[in-house]
Amino acid sequence: FFLIIRRPPRSTLDRSSAASDVYKRQTQSTWETIISGHHGQITSLCWAAKESLLASGDNQSSLCLWREKDGFNFSSTVKVEGGAIVDIKESADGHIYIACSYNTLIKIDSKTTTKVFNVKLDKSPLYIATSKKDPALVYVLIESGALLKIEGEKIKETLKVAPNATALEINEDAEEIYIGDKKGVIHIHSMKDMKEIGNLTEYTYEITCLSYHSASKRLAATDKNKFTYVYDIANRKLIGNEMCGHGGAVWKCTWSPSGMFLATASLDFSVTVYNVDIKPRQQINLNRIHAGGATSVAFKNDECLYTSGNDGLIKEIKVEKYQRKKTLIFPRKK
């Protein structure tokens, strides 16, 4: 008798095998370019403006640094010894901090891709937040509900915030730290003494991500129930109503450099870009952009957005060209 083995359908992109280090950058249309090179599910993205590179991490302990000067055609790949990469942030000196699931915080020199140092943590990290002023300062939220203040290679302070803490962001202008939890509360702490000084309670579902935009003084928050909120953080007020551009939990959010656009990623396979500067708010939906779900978003500038997913792909989206394709027009600030 004959045994027929049906091969799963291949991606339309010619991706490399797991044993190869061949990287591909392939233009799909005038508004979308695909970048491949990861062999696992991509968990985090970060645009590092000082070095003009895109950092991406996956669940197989690989950090890829895609440089603009190389046209993003190949990456410098660093294999870390800390487990799956859960978060990536740029430091004030242009280097890369990565948080890994095996209780590790690592700093990578973005020019040489060598390890600057690593810090062992008590528990697995959830989020990191880096200072834009001090390259040695980083805050780490870990699974036990503790917030760590790390300077250089040393843990300077430890604050027990909540056993159900889920998200982290900092505001150096107001010297505030924002921590989201599973009950939908955003706790506000002072950077000076780490004490809680207030909270935001519009949410009822677990907060998954926080993102602060310094120039506009706005804090964005996403939850597991498909909603996104924007706060005027100086006045502690919600701006407008909640935004619902997804059909499932929203995992990541990020602001464009000008603060005009807010992008969100969801495991419903989509990415949504909101224009929050006009009323009523407008949005573009990049539906089914990543098989298995969209996991992260990062703006290079107001015109260029990077998205990642469980399919192991990065997509470069030209926002304005996509808008024209969908006959949606987002007015510019005057």
Side-chain angles (χ1 to χ4, degrees), residues 51-334:
E51 294 296 325
S52 295
L53 64 83
L54 180 70
S56 57
D58 64 28
N59 65 347
Q60 295 187 6
S61 309
S62 292
L63 172 72
C64 292
L65 303 179
W66 309 87
R67 301 180 190 278
E68 187 173 35
K69 67 179 182 180
D70 299 324
F72 303 106
N73 286 308
F74 61 92
S75 76
S76 301
T77 302
V78 181
K79 203 72 174 176
V80 299
E81 297 179 354
I85 295 172
V86 297
D87 199 14
I88 305 173
K89 291 292 190 300
E90 180 187 22
S91 65
D93 55 4
H95 296 320
I96 302 297
Y97 278 104
I98 56 175
C100 301
S101 61
Y102 292 166
N103 309 353
T104 310
L105 175 73
I106 303 174
K107 188 174 184 179
I108 300 290
D109 186 311
S110 56
K111 292 181 179 179
T112 64
T113 68
T114 57
K115 183 171 68 175
V116 179
F117 62 77
N118 69 283
V119 180
K120 291 299 292 182
L121 310 172
D122 292 335
K123 297 286 184 179
S124 178
L126 299 173
Y127 273 103
I128 53 180
T130 52
S131 167
K132 292 181 173 59
K133 301 174 182 178
D134 185 353
L137 179 60
V138 59
Y139 292 88
V140 183
L141 182 66
I142 62 177
E143 281 186 346
S144 63
L147 177 66
L148 310 179
K149 180 180 179 181
I150 299 175
E151 294 182 20
E153 301 178 52
K154 296 182 179 180
I155 299 174
K156 292 291 187 179
E157 293 183 57
T158 300
L159 172 68
K160 272 287 186 182
V161 285
N164 58 359
T166 55
L168 170 68
E169 182 61 296
I170 62 173
N171 173 0
E172 291 185 287
D173 302 325
E175 296 186 315
E176 293 177 344
I177 303 168
Y178 309 118
I179 299 170
D181 69 19
K182 289 183 179 180
K183 296 181 179 179
V185 178
I186 300 174
H187 304 269
I188 304 172
H189 291 259
S190 169
M191 280 187 175
K192 294 178 181 179
D193 56 15
M194 306 284 273
K195 291 182 179 179
E196 186 165 351
I197 56 176
N199 57 65
L200 304 170
T201 57
E202 279 75 15
Y203 274 75
T204 56
Y205 291 88
E206 179 179 328
I207 294 170
T208 53
C209 187
L210 297 169
S211 181
Y212 176 70
H213 187 261
S214 177
S216 63
K217 294 180 171 55
R218 292 184 293 202
L219 178 72
T222 59
D223 73 10
K224 270 194 171 181
N225 189 41
K226 73 188 178 185
F227 291 115
T228 301
Y229 292 73
V230 176
Y231 292 93
D232 173 357
I233 201 63
N235 297 310
R236 307 284 198 261
K237 290 184 177 179
L238 189 64
I239 302 174
N241 298 320
E242 72 274 6
M243 298 180 289
C244 182
H246 296 284
V250 188
W251 291 110
K252 291 290 178 70
C253 64
T254 190
W255 291 98
S256 68
S258 73
M260 177 184 292
F261 297 124
L262 176 68
T264 56
S266 171
L267 291 186
D268 69 353
F269 318 120
S270 72
V271 166
T272 297
V273 182
Y274 301 96
N275 186 326
V276 297
D277 278 350
I278 61 172
K279 295 181 180 180
R281 290 170 176 154
Q282 292 189 18
Q283 67 189 54
I284 54 175
N285 297 91
L286 303 166
N287 294 318
R288 309 194 73 80
I289 191 169
H290 288 286
T295 56
S296 193
V297 280
F299 276 102
K300 173 185 172 183
N301 50 46
D302 279 16
E303 288 76 35
C304 183
L305 172 70
Y306 294 100
T307 71
S308 67
N310 286 328
D311 53 7
L313 299 177
I314 299 169
K315 295 193 177 184
E316 181 185 83
I317 306 298
K318 301 298 184 183
V319 178
E320 287 191 344
K321 289 183 178 180
Y322 187 83
Q323 289 169 202
R324 289 197 292 270
K325 174 180 178 291
K326 295 295 184 180
T327 65
L328 293 174
I329 298 176
F330 285 17
R332 288 281 177 186
K333 288 181 178 178
K334 294 182 179 180

